[in-house]
Amino acid sequence: GAEEREWAAPAEPSVATQPTRRVPWRSFRMGFFNDKSGNPAYILAEKATSAHLNGEPDWGVNVDMCDLVNSNFARHGKDCVKALKLKIMKKSAPDRQMLALIAMEMCMKNCGSNFHLMAIAKDVPHEMAKLATAAGVAKEVHDKTLVLIREWAQQIRHPHLQDVYDHVRSKGVRFPPEVLPSDGTANAGSFGSPPRGDGSSLAERAFEASPAVSAAAAQPLYTPRLTTAEIIGANLEKMDPADAAAIRAAVAEAEAEAEAIRKEREAVAEAKRKEEIFLKTIPEQVAKDPHDHIKEMMGGGENLFFTVPHKLVVGNPARLYVNKSRSDTLRGKHNVRFFAGFNDWKMNEWDTAMIPVGSDADDYAYTEFEVPELAYGFNFVFEADGNFENSGGDNFFQEVHYGKTKEEVEKFLRDKAAYEKDLAEATAECETEKYEAGMRKEGVPEGQLEKDGRVIFKTDRGVKPGKVFMMFNKALNPIGGPGGSVRLHVGFNKFAQGFEQELIMDPVRGAPADPENEWYGATVEIPPTAYTVDMVVSDDSKENWDNNDGYDYRLLVEGGEGNATTEDWDARIQERIVYLAKMREEAEAAARLAAKERRKRREAAHREATLVTRRQQQHIITCDPPYPKAGDEVKITYHPTNTNLGMAQDVYITGGVNRWTHETEAIPATAMTRPTEASAFVEFTVKIPEDAWMMDFVFSDGIGEGATYDNHFGRDYHFPVEDSTVEKPPLHIAHIAVEMAPIAKVGGLGDVVTSLARATKEEGHKVEVILPKYDTLDYSAIENFTEVTGFSWGMTYNRVYHGLVEGVDTYFIDPENGMFQVGMIYGTDYLEIPLTDAERFGFFSKAALEFLLQSKRNPDIIHCHDWQTAPCAKSYWEDYNAYGLSNPRVVFTIHNLNYGADLIKEAMTYSQASTTVSRTYREEIATHGSIMDNLPKFHGVVNGIDPDIWDPANDDFLPRYYDETEVVAGKAAAREALCSYSNIPNKDQAPLVGIVTRLTTQKGVHLIKHGIMRALERGCQVILLGSAPDPEIQQDFDMMFHDLKNRYHDYMCFHLYYNEPLSHLIYAGSDMILVPSMFEPCGLSQLIAMRYGTVPVVRRTGGLNDTVFDYDIDHGKAEWEGMKPNGFSFDGTDDSAIDYALDRAISLAYDKPSEFRALQANCMTQDWSWNRPALEYIEIYHAARKPY
């Protein structure tokens, strides 16, 4: 029976409370005595076992016996390990360490592996495991060892396992996948959770054998528990010298690492102590005499300023000293003012006179201030005699320490502002809720609600505050189907806070059940502030609703508002705040999702725009491979027959790299080769440099003077290069304009400036807009609006403000002469003030250039717009280019040629590139006297629309959202709402023709009138929105409306004014839009209409010709643009011309409605955003900067 007993190793005598280590006896004894060979391992095991079982005194291990075991280890290693394990468990701590060293020697000499060593290490103290592993790794690590490490981690949670792992890793060993724990942590540096600390784990019980080992286990990793001599002792001298050296090296490494860690911790502790002293003594530091501060700082050295303390700390005082002698602006000035604020000028902005330290005007001055708890940065400038020292326009900045980060502060302030807004809104709504109690209770029944002679709603105990069982009679109601589920949606006080409870109603047991009664019930919690209970029901899926024909189900609460105390209403306010926050979070989540979808659509459209641009030049030039990479050798193929070089016998290629800016890589004019004599194309092979991100080419029929060139109308030919070793630098573009949507919009100019700026910024470029600071600006649409700098010029001081408009950096110039504080953008020509619009905008144009100069901005492009900022072009080259503002080139855009012809001609002459808003409009005005002399650099670029503003999938002016997949349902809902607003019946079988326009001669008023009559004669409905600046035209349309109303009262309506929400409804609810303009530089109505699935019917002019492709005849033209036909067009100006287009559109809608709906859906899929125009403008910007 001895085999089945358990034995216990005696505890250390000095630790009476230590639990004993219990190990199954059978597992040792059976293995030792089955073999009769009598090898030394058996002798050792037998003696050890006998000694323990017989209670005999412990016996030592002499070197001879160890040598005897060692010599036979190769043949009987397993038994030796078991014997040693037994002895190790019985010995005191020093003896155990000695035995562990013997085990190491045995394993290393005879196994070449530490497999057995790890078996021993499972049951020895921490230090043995560490040394054993170090020694074993010094020799060799085998997969079996790693398996043991993994099992060790998973089974016994060894406290020193990180030591083992780090030693293994330090030798460059990574665990093979087959030995990793299931959670993959082995290679990550963690083997599992630490010991539980309750004495229950195998390792903990084993390591509690002595106080010395327990104390060692509590030390940090790699801190030696015993000295090298104590651990190794004399036994190390008996080992193989190489093995002994390995052990010494491992211990020395551990000691050195421990010493480094100790020093690091001491340094951290010392730094922390100094930091505590610094923070504690800040008030004392700041209170010192200013002369002492200057002396301590050694006069501030070469710095303009310094602070005390040297780091600004939240919630503490501070001083800032300025050395006036270091500034040309401040030197010699006695009076210096200090303008400052925190957090990018958003917090605690102030200004003060600085205090002189001495009497010398070139001496120091200082100011003292408190750093707010919520500060993350300190912004400041200095001023003397109206001139600012402002770090070149960037303002000075000092970081604030020991507070919240910028992101944390901004989040805190956002949350605080949102809470305050919600609190104000909730308080106001609850006050309204109380105030309107009488009105909201009118006509509301008490006790129960009856309808059509039957009780529909009732309760079990009346309608009182607290819990009531509300019952609903579902009989004769299809909601939920027969016996289906019913949901009760509950609110109070006329749904003041929307749905406040949503409950599943169950059949009421014991209630009457007959054709007139089918009762469902749920428990409703009525608050003391309720004076009505409001209810609607739905099926379980919330697809079908019963809201009492729009009147909701409502019952009076007994006692009404008199049940509530002030505390109850305060609680109601807090509930309302929670409700508002939830609504806001849901709206933000929906907005994020919608933005993500818009981003995806925009990216897809951008990719398509890039492909179309590439396809449109394939008949002239191609590159093989089509998407070249840096380092590639590519073949350029050119088709001269499709260009102005069609008659050339020889064709020469001239090439460059990176927009012609590469200093060394260039292709001089070189003859291209024809594959055969009959080939119509020529070829050239070139290797792309590794640092190329763009290849540039032009072609000619000769070299030098007299040669004819094809340079792609001044833009050159380009191929983007991938995988360049350098980044493509962004352009810096500064728009100078007098309109910007939505903050200062009069016409389409404002839309273009904002949309083009956004689109080019999204392409990765730096974009800024400079605008007058009108007193009519819509400040609600400007984010972070603040004054940032100023400058004296033009006999006045000009303040400069900055803000974000639609995400674009925008600067506002505000001259103190008041020329933009006149209550309008245009119109001063007719006011009793001395300045005309031309004079005001001429001043602004030059002030904008002065701002660029004084703020040390040097953009790549100055883009000026229309006659208002046309003076920028000439002034730049005559007054600024040679005086510090040397980098920019000028691009000028004509939006409307009807005004300021002389200024436009001047700008066309001085600009390096010019544009107008469509290709056809460019051709139409090419012979104008302001333009004809500068045609080669004049380009037509079709405007786009902002798809985020004009988006039927996210338009709150519509009764429902829709996209091209829901075009029929979405437009049907919009049409229903439009007809209702216009007070006409919705005749959905008849096409609806919409018109949104200014009623002017330019817009073709005679054709509009005829088109209205033609549509009505053909049974269409017509809705017009527009007004006329000419009173005669306005009166004419007013009379026409009254006349037609008598004959077509159910088919037409005129809204003779402008209404933004109604325009959205007309674009969405109409089947077709009529745009018969006499001339139209670009036109937005047709683009917006297509975005909403409305088919345009237009006259072929300007941008209308470039964007509308006739359904019957323009298939090739549409394909060239990567699109399909999208509308109907006509050329003439008489009645028959418009009839030609309008009749075809109406007939398609009547005769082939499915094809017409498909045409509407196709319109919605077309990209008329700024994706392609932005790419074209970027090419023009680069063309303007060409070095030749």
Side-chain angles (χ1 to χ4, degrees):
E3 291 84 356
E4 303 302 324
R5 288 183 290 169
E6 293 186 342
W7 64 269
E12 290 285 340
S14 59
V15 187
T17 59
Q18 294 281 1
T20 57
R21 167 71 162 93
R22 304 190 66 82
V23 179
W25 161 245
R26 180 182 179 88
S27 62
F28 287 110
R29 191 173 187 277
M30 292 299 289
F32 289 166
F33 293 103
N34 284 344
D35 193 328
K36 305 301 182 181
S37 63
N39 69 69
Y42 287 103
I43 298 170
L44 178 63
E46 183 177 7
K47 286 188 176 183
T49 305
S50 298
H52 173 72
L53 293 177
N54 298 328
E56 296 174 1
D58 244 351
W59 48 274
V61 179
N62 59 55
V63 174
D64 293 335
M65 183 176 290
C66 291
D67 288 341
L68 185 63
V69 172
N70 187 23
S71 65
N72 289 276
F73 194 91
R75 287 182 296 135
H76 308 289
K78 183 176 181 182
D79 294 332
C80 291
V81 167
K82 291 183 177 179
L84 281 169
K85 286 178 66 174
L86 181 61
K87 282 302 299 178
I88 287 168
M89 292 309 304
K90 293 189 62 181
K91 299 305 291 181
S92 62
D95 286 340
R96 288 185 219 164
Q97 293 167 6
M98 180 186 68
L99 286 167
L101 293 174
I102 295 171
M104 282 193 292
E105 182 180 12
M106 291 160 53
C107 292
M108 290 189 296
K109 283 187 175 181
N110 296 289
C111 286
S113 164
N114 57 357
F115 172 75
H116 298 292
L117 181 62
M118 292 301 300
I120 295 174
K122 283 180 63 176
D123 291 294
V124 298
H126 298 113
E127 197 64 36
M128 297 184 205
K130 174 182 171 183
L131 289 173
T133 305
V137 169
K139 283 288 184 180
E140 185 177 4
V141 175
H142 289 259
D143 288 350
K144 290 183 178 180
T145 301
L146 302 179
V147 172
L148 277 172
I149 292 177
R150 182 194 67 185
E151 293 175 349
W152 201 8
Q154 293 176 336
Q155 295 173 12
I156 67 173
R157 303 292 187 184
H158 195 293
H160 219 308
L161 199 53
Q162 190 66 43
D163 293 44
V164 177
Y165 171 73
D166 286 344
H167 275 291
V168 174
R169 288 297 300 275
S170 72
K171 303 300 179 180
V173 178
R174 287 189 62 82
F175 296 169
E178 62 269 17
V179 302
L180 291 179
S182 58
D183 60 358
T185 57
N187 282 328
S190 173
F191 286 90
S193 60
R196 295 186 291 276
D198 58 2
S200 60
S201 76
L202 184 62
E204 286 174 77
R205 292 200 302 270
F207 302 150
E208 287 169 349
S210 74
V213 174
S214 297
Q219 296 298 315
L221 298 181
Y222 295 125
T223 301
R225 279 72 170 184
L226 299 171
T227 66
T228 304
E230 289 173 323
I231 294 172
I232 301 175
N235 295 285
L236 197 60
E237 297 178 0
K238 298 182 180 298
M239 292 185 179
D240 179 85
D243 297 336
I247 294 174
R248 287 192 183 97
V251 174
E253 181 184 351
E255 289 176 342
E257 192 166 348
E259 178 65 13
I261 292 172
R262 183 188 64 78
K263 289 182 178 180
E264 182 180 353
R265 288 174 177 169
E266 288 177 355
V268 170
E270 178 64 15
K272 184 176 181 181
R273 185 185 66 81
K274 290 181 178 180
E275 182 180 56
E276 290 172 350
I277 295 173
F278 164 73
L279 294 173
K280 186 177 180 180
T281 61
I282 286 177
E284 180 182 332
Q285 297 174 48
V286 174
K288 287 183 180 180
D289 184 89
H291 294 88
D292 293 336
H293 284 153
I294 295 172
K295 184 178 180 180
E296 290 172 2
M297 293 298 295
M298 300 179 64
E302 299 296 321
N303 296 325
L304 173 64
F305 62 87
F306 66 87
T307 64
V308 178
H310 66 283
K311 292 193 298 187
L312 300 181
V313 178
V314 295
N316 279 278
R319 281 186 187 173
L320 185 143
Y321 290 82
V322 61
N323 185 348
K324 294 183 287 184
S325 66
R326 300 296 179 191
S327 167
D328 294 338
T329 302
L330 306 179
R331 186 181 302 114
K333 303 295 191 298
H334 286 279
N335 299 319
V336 176
R337 290 197 70 79
F338 184 67
F339 293 81
F342 294 94
N343 299 359
D344 303 319
W345 301 96
K346 299 172 189 174
M347 176 187 287
N348 296 14
E349 187 175 345
W350 87 95
D351 66 276
T352 185
M354 300 194 77
I355 303 170
V357 176
S359 58
D360 189 346
D362 288 340
D363 210 335
Y364 285 84
Y366 75 94
T367 188
E368 191 166 330
F369 53 92
E370 287 284 330
V371 182
E373 291 287 349
L374 288 177
Y376 57 78
F378 184 45
N379 312 90
F380 54 94
V381 297
F382 308 95
E383 181 267 337
D385 295 345
N387 296 311
F388 281 83
E389 176 62 69
N390 59 6
S391 187
D394 293 331
N395 301 333
F396 297 103
F397 175 83
Q398 289 284 287
E399 185 178 355
V400 175
H401 300 268
Y402 300 98
K404 297 179 181 296
T405 65
K406 178 179 180 179
E407 292 73 20
E408 290 170 340
V409 170
E410 290 178 344
K411 183 180 185 303
F412 172 83
L413 294 176
R414 282 197 305 271
D415 293 345
K416 181 174 180 287
Y419 176 81
E420 290 173 349
K421 179 177 179 292
D422 290 347
L423 175 61
E425 183 177 341
T427 301
E429 289 180 353
C430 286
E431 288 299 320
T432 301
E433 199 175 332
K434 289 190 287 184
Y435 179 77
E436 294 182 353
M439 179 184 68
R440 297 185 184 188
K441 293 193 296 183
E442 288 181 2
V444 178
E446 298 181 46
Q448 62 184 30
L449 187 150
E450 297 183 7
K451 182 179 180 181
D452 299 329
R454 293 186 305 114
V455 175
I456 304 299
F457 274 97
K458 65 181 181 179
T459 69
D460 60 339
R461 63 175 187 85
V463 185
K464 303 174 184 178
K467 292 184 177 180
V468 300
F469 190 69
M470 187 68 66
M471 291 176 281
F472 167 62
N473 187 357
K474 184 182 175 295
L476 307 180
N477 193 321
I479 285 290
S485 298
V486 176
R487 287 183 181 269
L488 180 66
H489 306 268
V490 184
F492 306 98
N493 305 346
K494 206 171 182 179
F495 283 120
Q497 293 189 20
F499 293 156
E500 299 183 48
Q501 297 174 35
E502 182 178 310
L503 308 165
I504 295 290
M505 303 191 83
D506 298 316
V508 179
R509 293 182 181 180
D514 55 49
E516 296 286 323
N517 291 278
E518 185 183 353
W519 290 94
Y520 284 70
T523 299
V524 175
E525 182 79 29
I526 300 177
T529 53
Y531 46 78
T532 70
V533 180
D534 315 305
M535 298 163 288
V536 296
V537 294
S538 73
D539 57 17
D540 194 46
S541 64
K542 302 181 187 178
E543 293 182 357
N544 300 293
W545 294 76
D546 177 8
N547 64 357
N548 195 20
D549 300 324
Y551 294 99
D552 305 330
Y553 293 105
R554 189 166 287 122
L555 290 171
L556 283 179
V557 177
E558 297 176 20
E561 62 275 20
N563 296 320
T565 65
T566 301
E567 289 75 17
D568 292 330
W569 280 107
D570 288 343
R572 178 77 167 164
I573 290 173
Q574 293 302 314
E575 292 172 1
R576 182 68 178 171
I577 290 173
V578 172
Y579 170 76
L580 292 172
K582 180 182 177 183
M583 293 298 101
R584 184 175 59 255
E585 290 171 2
E586 290 178 355
E588 290 172 353
R592 286 193 298 270
L593 181 61
K596 182 179 179 180
E597 291 300 317
R598 288 196 298 274
R599 229 176 6 255
K600 287 171 59 178
R601 290 197 298 269
R602 185 168 59 242
E603 290 169 358
H606 179 274
R607 288 193 297 271
E608 179 60 25
T610 303
L611 290 174
V612 169
T613 301
R614 184 182 290 265
R615 285 199 301 267
Q616 287 181 344
Q617 69 176 25
Q618 284 182 347
H619 67 297
I620 296 175
I621 183 173
T622 59
C623 177
D624 184 22
Y627 299 95
K629 296 182 178 181
D632 284 354
E633 185 173 85
V634 299
K635 181 169 67 177
I636 304 299
T637 302
Y638 178 72
H639 299 263
T641 54
N642 296 326
T643 73
N644 61 329
L645 302 182
M647 303 300 295
Q649 295 297 314
D650 297 310
V651 176
Y652 294 82
I653 184 172
T654 302
V657 175
N658 298 349
R659 300 282 182 182
W660 306 99
T661 62
H662 203 290
E663 295 181 356
T664 59
E665 297 291 342
I667 304 172
T670 306
M672 303 182 75
T673 60
R674 298 181 187 270
T676 67
E677 291 186 5
S679 296
F681 58 88
V682 290
E683 297 175 338
F684 184 80
T685 300
V686 60
K687 184 175 178 59
I688 306 174
E690 296 289 343
D691 59 350
W693 43 264
M694 185 73 73
M695 293 189 298
D696 319 300
F697 302 105
V698 297
F699 302 91
S700 62
D701 60 2
I703 302 176
E705 187 175 351
T708 300
Y709 282 84
D710 172 16
N711 64 1
H712 198 209
F713 306 104
R715 303 187 202 181
D716 304 338
Y717 294 97
H718 304 280
F719 287 101
V721 176
E722 300 175 358
D723 297 344
S724 173
T725 58
V726 299
E727 290 289 329
K728 179 173 64 176
L731 290 169
H732 179 184
I733 304 151
H735 291 268
I736 301 177
V738 301
E739 291 187 41
M740 186 180 189
I743 60 171
K745 175 185 173 181
V746 175
L749 169 60
D751 292 312
V752 172
V753 170
T754 303
S755 298
L756 177 57
R758 285 183 59 187
T760 48
K761 179 182 177 181
E762 288 173 356
E763 289 294 323
H765 301 284
K766 180 180 180 179
V767 185
E768 298 170 327
V769 176
I770 306 173
L771 195 74
K773 183 180 175 292
Y774 303 108
D775 55 356
T776 57
L777 289 175
D778 180 3
Y779 291 99
S780 66
I782 307 175
E783 184 180 351
N784 300 332
F785 185 78
T786 186
E787 184 174 355
V788 292
T789 188
F791 58 93
S792 294
W793 178 85
M795 301 181 66
T796 189
Y797 183 72
N798 299 269
R799 299 183 182 277
V800 179
Y801 298 77
H802 173 266
L804 291 175
V805 179
E806 300 291 321
V808 176
D809 285 297
T810 306
Y811 292 88
F812 304 85
I813 296 180
D814 183 20
E816 290 186 347
N817 57 24
M819 62 174 55
F820 297 111
Q821 310 300 309
V822 294
M824 62 184 68
I825 296 177
Y826 303 110
T828 57
D829 294 15
Y830 308 101
L831 298 180
E832 294 181 0
I833 61 173
L835 291 175
T836 65
D837 284 347
E839 291 169 327
R840 291 163 62 234
F841 296 137
F843 175 93
F844 164 71
S845 297
K846 296 180 181 180
L849 295 173
E850 188 70 22
F851 165 63
L852 291 175
L853 175 67
Q854 294 206 23
S855 65
K856 294 182 171 58
R857 281 172 168 74
N858 231 332
D860 298 305
I861 295 294
I862 294 173
H863 193 156
C864 44
H865 297 265
D866 250 356
W867 66 271
Q868 299 94 325
T869 57
C872 289
K874 180 180 180 181
S875 180
Y876 167 72
W877 287 106
E878 292 188 349
D879 304 325
Y880 289 92
N881 175 261
Y883 302 98
L885 192 63
S886 59
N887 182 57
R889 296 298 179 264
V890 180
V891 173
F892 173 65
T893 295
I894 300 172
H895 297 265
N896 194 325
L897 192 56
N898 283 354
Y899 307 96
D902 291 339
L903 291 173
I904 288 175
K905 182 175 183 178
E906 178 183 276
M908 289 288 295
T909 301
Y910 281 89
S911 62
Q912 283 61 67
S914 55
T915 70
T916 191
V917 292
S918 70
R919 294 182 294 277
T920 299
Y921 187 60
R922 175 195 181 275
E923 301 304 318
E924 291 172 348
I925 64 176
T927 57
H928 193 279
S930 302
I931 295 169
M932 59 187 305
D933 293 338
N934 293 283
L935 271 181
K937 61 182 178 182
F938 187 40
H939 308 276
V941 181
V942 176
N943 284 345
I945 57 172
D946 191 327
D948 291 341
I949 296 173
W950 301 103
D951 183 6
N954 192 42
D955 193 334
D956 290 332
F957 292 137
L958 305 185
R960 60 159 288 180
Y961 300 154
Y962 67 97
D963 58 20
E964 63 272 13
T965 65
E966 304 172 304
V967 61
V968 175
K971 291 183 69 65
R975 176 172 180 158
E976 181 67 38
L978 175 60
C979 289
S980 176
Y981 184 90
S982 301
N983 199 27
I984 61 175
N986 179 16
K987 298 185 176 296
D988 56 9
Q989 298 303 309
L992 195 159
V993 178
I995 305 168
V996 180
T997 185
R998 286 180 295 112
L999 297 172
T1000 64
T1001 303
Q1002 176 208 336
K1003 299 299 181 181
V1005 289
H1006 70 291
L1007 293 176
I1008 292 173
K1009 290 180 181 179
H1010 180 78
I1012 292 171
M1013 291 304 304
R1014 185 64 172 177
L1016 291 173
E1017 289 169 358
R1018 295 206 55 184
C1020 299
Q1021 289 186 292
V1022 178
I1023 295 178
L1024 177 147
L1025 173 64
S1027 61
D1030 185 334
E1032 291 187 8
I1033 295 177
Q1034 182 80 8
Q1035 183 179 10
D1036 196 16
F1037 273 87
D1038 189 53
M1039 293 176 62
M1040 181 181 183
F1041 170 65
H1042 290 292
D1043 176 57
L1044 293 178
K1045 201 63 179 173
N1046 293 328
R1047 291 184 285 161
Y1048 300 98
H1049 55 86
D1050 285 347
Y1051 286 84
M1052 54 82 60
C1053 185
F1054 289 178
H1055 302 279
L1056 299 176
Y1057 49 83
Y1058 186 71
N1059 181 303
E1060 177 76 10
L1062 181 56
S1063 70
H1064 288 242
L1065 206 55
I1066 292 176
Y1067 286 128
S1070 300
D1071 291 305
M1072 55 195 78
I1073 199 85
L1074 186 60
V1075 192
S1077 302
M1078 293 295 97
F1079 71 91
E1080 193 66 72
C1082 179
L1084 295 179
S1085 292
Q1086 82 280 10
L1087 303 181
I1088 297 169
M1090 287 190 284
R1091 178 84 169 126
Y1092 285 75
T1094 297
V1095 177
V1097 179
V1098 306
R1099 184 173 175 271
R1100 291 182 186 271
T1101 182
L1104 300 175
N1105 182 51
D1106 293 338
T1107 57
V1108 178
F1109 314 126
D1110 193 279
Y1111 186 76
D1112 295 315
I1113 60 177
D1114 281 339
H1115 292 271
K1117 182 179 175 183
E1119 184 178 0
W1120 172 255
E1121 298 294 339
M1123 298 182 183
K1124 296 179 181 179
N1126 54 16
F1128 297 87
S1129 57
F1130 63 97
D1131 292 300
T1133 60
D1134 56 12
D1135 294 350
S1136 62
I1138 191 173
D1139 287 349
Y1140 168 71
L1142 188 57
D1143 280 345
R1144 287 185 293 128
I1146 294 172
S1147 295
L1148 184 67
Y1150 274 133
D1151 301 339
K1152 300 178 180 178
S1154 61
E1155 290 187 22
F1156 189 81
R1157 294 302 183 195
L1159 175 59
Q1160 290 180 311
N1162 171 59
C1163 288
M1164 291 191 72
T1165 63
Q1166 296 184 348
D1167 177 25
W1168 294 107
S1169 70
W1170 279 91
N1171 286 319
R1172 282 184 62 189
L1175 297 178
E1176 292 188 59
Y1177 266 105
I1178 290 168
E1179 287 298 319
I1180 291 169
Y1181 292 153
H1182 282 294
R1185 292 195 58 79
K1186 284 195 304 187
Y1188 59 87

